[in-house]
Amino acid sequence: MPSIRTRPATPADREFITSTAVRLAAFGPPPWRTPSEIVEPEVKALEAFFVTPLPGSAMFVVEDGRERLGFVLLERRVDYFTGRPHGHVSIIAISAAAEGRGAGTALMSAAEAWAREQGYGTLTLNVFGGNQRARAMYERCGFQVETLKYVKPLG
């Protein structure tokens, strides 16, 4: 969409970003996780970004005109296997009204551009196995599965 654009997040976006974080559990978490277990730590990380951003981190908002559609929080990480730094999509969320409008793809393009500007050779992210909509979008953007985390609740 030609009217969709991304820009760096500002303190004026804080309320939109933290309220949109509720969407992080909209896919239906695994039975051993509650929605609040997923959302609350993410909101804390987002709040922390506005107080004291981690070195090498960035946040972007995607909008259509004056309507904010979503955001992405990006961080610098170090690859376990190579020891090299890389970009990491820490948190990404789109409002319910923005689904299917290209907002997620626009944010992923902004994330890739940011990673390239930092000189990183890779961009990583984590996604819940059951979040099929997000997984399909990441695959359309060229991401591939590298490792899988298995969980067995013992309680």
Side-chain angles (χ1 to χ4, degrees):
M1 292 182 134
S3 62
I4 286 185
R5 71 178 192 100
T6 57
R7 60 167 174 78
T10 69
D13 298 311
R14 188 177 188 163
E15 185 178 330
F16 165 77
I17 288 168
T18 57
S19 65
T20 304
V22 172
R23 298 269 305 140
L24 295 168
F27 68 94
W32 58 89
R33 299 259 185 230
T34 65
S36 63
E37 277 183 292
I38 293 170
V39 173
E40 288 173 14
E42 302 287 44
V43 169
K44 285 181 186 176
L46 294 165
E47 290 284 357
F49 176 85
F50 286 104
V51 175
T52 309
L54 292 173
S57 64
M59 190 181 306
F60 295 94
V61 169
V62 63
E63 57 190 10
D64 185 358
R66 293 180 186 235
E67 179 187 6
R68 287 176 239 167
L69 307 175
F71 70 90
V72 63
L73 175 62
L74 304 164
E75 297 177 344
R76 176 191 183 274
R77 297 267 175 101
V78 175
D79 186 86
Y80 175 82
F81 300 105
T82 66
R84 287 185 284 224
H86 67 273
H88 182 75
V89 175
S90 181
I91 305 171
I92 182 170
I94 305 300
S95 69
E99 284 188 7
R101 293 173 54 188
T105 302
L107 285 171
M108 294 308 294
S109 293
E112 287 182 38
W114 170 83
R116 283 189 182 96
E117 288 170 9
Q118 305 306 306
Y120 301 139
T122 55
L123 181 63
T124 63
L125 57 83
N126 296 315
V127 62
F128 281 97
N131 194 343
Q132 296 300 325
R133 186 178 186 107
R135 291 178 66 186
M137 194 248 328
Y138 299 143
E139 290 173 15
R140 281 192 308 274
C141 290
F143 284 80
Q144 299 173 26
V145 173
E146 181 177 54
T147 64
L148 298 172
K149 176 182 175 181
Y150 282 80
V151 176
K152 180 180 181 180
L154 300 176

